[in-house]
Amino acid sequence: MIIDDVRVSEKAKHQLLTLKRRTGILQWNVLCRWALLTSLAERTVPPHEEIITDSNVEMSWKTFAGTLDEAITAVVRQRAHEDGVTEDQLPQFFKIHLHRGIAYLLNGAQDLRGLIAMTGGGKKW
């Protein structure tokens, strides 16, 4: 587990609401998982920024990760290691990637097919 609770900013909440409408995916945790992994797949390091997680979108790590807990934790830790992030920086590292990933999904997915395509799946659509 990287953090106890996953929270997003008010801006990210509105981006997620748009993604929910576009894709039909109604669960915050599913969209947030895709967002995190999309950002982690991008080899550039997101710029450091202070993100105020002031929205009412909040979920436990267990809800966020579900049965993928160990896999997501391993991917985040591996990427953090590659980027020289220390253990105490992991929560901020996670938050920056989550928010960058939400923005990526918002800008790249106009519908469910677009979301699947931009995350590497659905090449036969």
Side-chain angles (χ1 to χ4, degrees):
M1 175 174 23
I2 306 295
I3 56 176
D4 293 330
D5 296 306
V6 176
R7 296 179 175 158
V8 301
S9 67
E10 192 65 27
K11 178 181 175 182
K13 173 187 170 182
H14 290 286
Q15 292 171 325
L16 287 167
L17 286 169
T18 300
L19 283 167
K20 287 173 103 174
R21 186 171 22 81
R22 287 181 185 169
T23 65
I25 297 173
L26 301 178
Q27 294 80 20
W28 301 112
N29 61 327
V30 173
L31 288 170
C32 286
R33 267 187 242 155
W34 283 37
L36 175 68
L37 297 174
T38 298
S39 178
L40 290 171
E42 169 63 41
R43 293 311 310 161
T44 60
V45 176
H48 177 79
E49 64 178 294
E50 288 301 319
I51 299 171
I52 300 171
T53 53
D54 54 352
S55 78
N56 61 356
V57 176
E58 177 180 353
M59 65 197 89
S60 68
W61 175 262
K62 184 177 175 97
T63 298
F64 170 78
T67 59
L68 300 173
D69 172 30
E70 292 181 18
I72 292 173
T73 299
V75 168
V76 171
R77 287 187 185 281
Q78 177 61 36
R79 177 61 191 269
H81 174 73
E82 292 170 6
D83 291 352
V85 174
T86 62
E87 186 72 20
D88 63 324
Q89 296 171 321
L90 271 178
Q92 178 68 12
F93 177 79
F94 174 89
K95 186 175 12 175
I96 289 173
H97 272 285
L98 174 63
H99 283 77
R100 180 172 82 166
I102 291 169
Y104 280 179
L105 294 183
L106 179 72
N107 293 324
Q110 298 305 311
D111 56 22
L112 182 58
R113 288 182 182 187
L115 179 68
I116 292 169
M118 74 176 292
T119 56
K123 293 182 180 176
K124 298 287 182 186
W125 288 81

